[in-house]
Amino acid sequence: MIRRILAQCTVSDIARAEQWYSLLFDRAPDLRPMPGLIEWHPGATFGLQVWSEPERAGHSTVVLDETDLDAAAARLAASGVAHDGPAPGGGARILQLSDPDGNRVVITGQ
């Protein structure tokens, strides 16, 4: 039985990615399990790994569900994370972001 899921984004520059994902999650990483790997755990059974793998960087997609999409959009914009604001998508509303390597991060919510 699967008990935990970790999504993963591959990046070319782990320090640059850490800065961007720290803005996304509004906090520093929760773990640094090994060199070139940082993790955020917003829940006990799920999280996001950001892995330094330059040859694969920029080809990942992660979808996150947010309780208050408008507040998240405002916070991210104030932090300097560029986006076009929430838009309809997938039967809800979505906020589409790209990390510095071009990985797609989609935040869903109402």
Side-chain angles (χ1 to χ4, degrees):
M1 175 184 211
I2 296 171
R3 299 178 22 192
R4 186 169 181 225
I5 294 178
L6 295 173
Q8 187 180 73
C9 283
T10 52
V11 299
S12 61
D13 181 327
I14 197 73
R16 180 178 69 174
E18 181 175 347
Q19 291 175 343
W20 193 89
Y21 283 92
S22 290
L23 293 174
L24 175 68
F25 286 105
D26 200 24
R27 60 190 170 85
D30 295 307
L31 290 175
R32 298 172 190 278
M34 57 192 273
L37 177 62
I38 51 179
E39 296 182 359
W40 282 263
H41 296 269
T45 61
F46 59 92
L48 177 66
Q49 295 182 316
V50 177
W51 178 250
S52 178
E53 194 173 356
E55 61 279 2
R56 291 186 53 226
H59 299 286
S60 303
T61 300
V62 175
V63 179
L64 307 169
D65 189 50
E66 173 64 55
T67 56
D68 188 338
L69 189 60
D70 293 316
R75 181 186 60 76
L76 289 164
S79 295
V81 176
H83 60 77
D84 293 329
R93 294 170 61 224
I94 61 173
L95 180 66
Q96 296 189 65
L97 308 171
S98 292
D99 77 3
D101 282 297
N103 290 306
R104 184 179 303 155
V105 176
V106 180
I107 304 175
T108 65
Q110 296 299 325

